[in-house]
Amino acid sequence: QVQLAESGGGVVQPGRSLRLSCAASGFIFNTYGMHWVRQAPGKGLEWVAFIWYDGSYKNYANSVKGRFTISRDNSKNTLYLQMSSLSVEDTAVYYCARWGKNGYELDYWGQGTLVTVSS
Amino acid sequence: QSALTQEVSVSGTVGQKVTLSCTGNSYNIGSYAVGWYQQISHGAPKIVMFGDSLPSGIPDRFSGSKSGTTASLTISGLQPEDEADYYCSSWDYRLSALIFGGGTKLTVL
């Protein structure tokens, strides 16, 4: 079965960096695009970034553009999110999600990893 | 990025039919299929509808539709386990971004 497992969250000071990982299993990873979506405490879902199946194209939300970098290692079935210049507004649970084949649907989600930006 | 517009809260009794709506514009809902996601008690979101297609494993009491720039998720025969937050989502080609609605809290009375 499809499984996505995020890791790398934690407490980080404003201005610092953090890298999240998402280990994928149960499907052919290098044939699917992937997304990161976040949810601030008590708030709704916010799309962060996506990457094509082969890593050749990436797109970012304006709120993270220039600070976050999405990448993938298809040999390791792993998706990454490198986050830099973090601010308190980046505090959220970060989910990785698989991009389905029918359009812009996210057909499987991980359990999420919490990132807390605090001094 | 702008969010799609959803009801803040909707409630219904067991067995009732309820409809959640999601309003956008021609750049998003008017041009793309809408995804609906269920989130129970702040757990991982789960897709329950994409366009009018029911994902595998989702009960057929869930159905989806769209008219112009408004999409709807209907639950026919509401069950206690349907109590959750529901989010709609669509690609927006003007914003070049995937956007979500603010979410609807569905309460089963």
Side-chain angles (χ1 to χ4, degrees):
Chain A
Q1 69 280 24
V2 173
Q3 290 190 326
L4 299 169
E6 302 91 340
S7 62
V11 180
V12 61
Q13 293 178 326
R16 304 298 291 265
S17 299
L18 198 65
R19 188 178 82 159
L20 306 182
S21 300
C22 169
S25 60
F27 64 101
I28 303 174
F29 183 68
N30 63 12
T31 65
Y32 284 86
M34 298 292 295
H35 290 250
W36 286 99
V37 176
R38 68 184 181 183
Q39 185 171 35
K43 302 295 185 181
L45 301 174
E46 180 190 15
W47 173 74
V48 173
F50 74 66
I51 185 168
W52 280 7
Y53 69 100
D54 60 356
S56 62
Y57 185 72
K58 309 168 187 181
N59 198 17
Y60 301 89
N62 286 340
S63 58
V64 306
K65 201 170 293 183
R67 300 187 301 121
F68 289 12
T69 301
I70 188 172
S71 63
R72 62 191 299 158
D73 185 336
N74 285 344
S75 69
K76 297 181 178 179
N77 289 348
T78 302
L79 174 73
Y80 301 101
L81 185 68
Q82 178 69 45
M83 305 183 294
S84 62
S85 301
L86 285 162
S87 70
V88 294
E89 289 76 29
D90 296 315
T91 294
V93 173
Y94 285 73
Y95 297 99
C96 63
R98 192 180 81 167
W99 193 344
K101 296 292 190 182
N102 299 312
Y104 288 93
E105 82 275 26
L106 306 181
D107 61 357
Y108 287 92
W109 298 60
Q111 289 300 310
T113 187
L114 176 62
V115 173
T116 302
V117 184
S118 174
S119 55
Chain B
Q1 276 89 350
S2 302
L4 304 172
T5 301
Q6 299 183 250
E7 301 94 344
V8 173
S9 63
V10 170
S11 62
T13 57
V14 173
Q16 189 177 7
K17 182 171 80 171
V18 295
T19 298
L20 282 58
S21 69
C22 175
T23 301
N25 57 43
S26 60
Y27 302 114
N28 42 67
I29 293 178
S31 298
Y32 298 92
V34 173
W36 290 91
Y37 302 91
Q38 178 192 64
Q39 186 178 39
I40 298 174
S41 299
H42 300 288
K46 179 175 75 172
I47 191 167
V48 294
M49 186 64 56
F50 183 69
D52 58 2
S53 297
L54 197 64
S56 174
I58 303 302
D60 61 6
R61 61 178 181 272
F62 287 85
S63 63
S65 64
K66 184 173 73 171
S67 178
T69 58
T70 297
S72 299
L73 177 70
T74 297
I75 308 173
S76 302
L78 197 61
Q79 297 299 306
E81 59 266 31
D82 298 332
E83 184 162 291
D85 293 325
Y86 290 84
Y87 294 91
C88 60
S89 178
S90 173
W91 182 254
D92 186 299
Y93 70 80
R94 181 181 61 174
L95 297 174
S96 195
L98 187 67
I99 58 174
F100 287 90
T104 295
K105 182 177 181 61
L106 174 63
T107 301
V108 180
L109 302 171

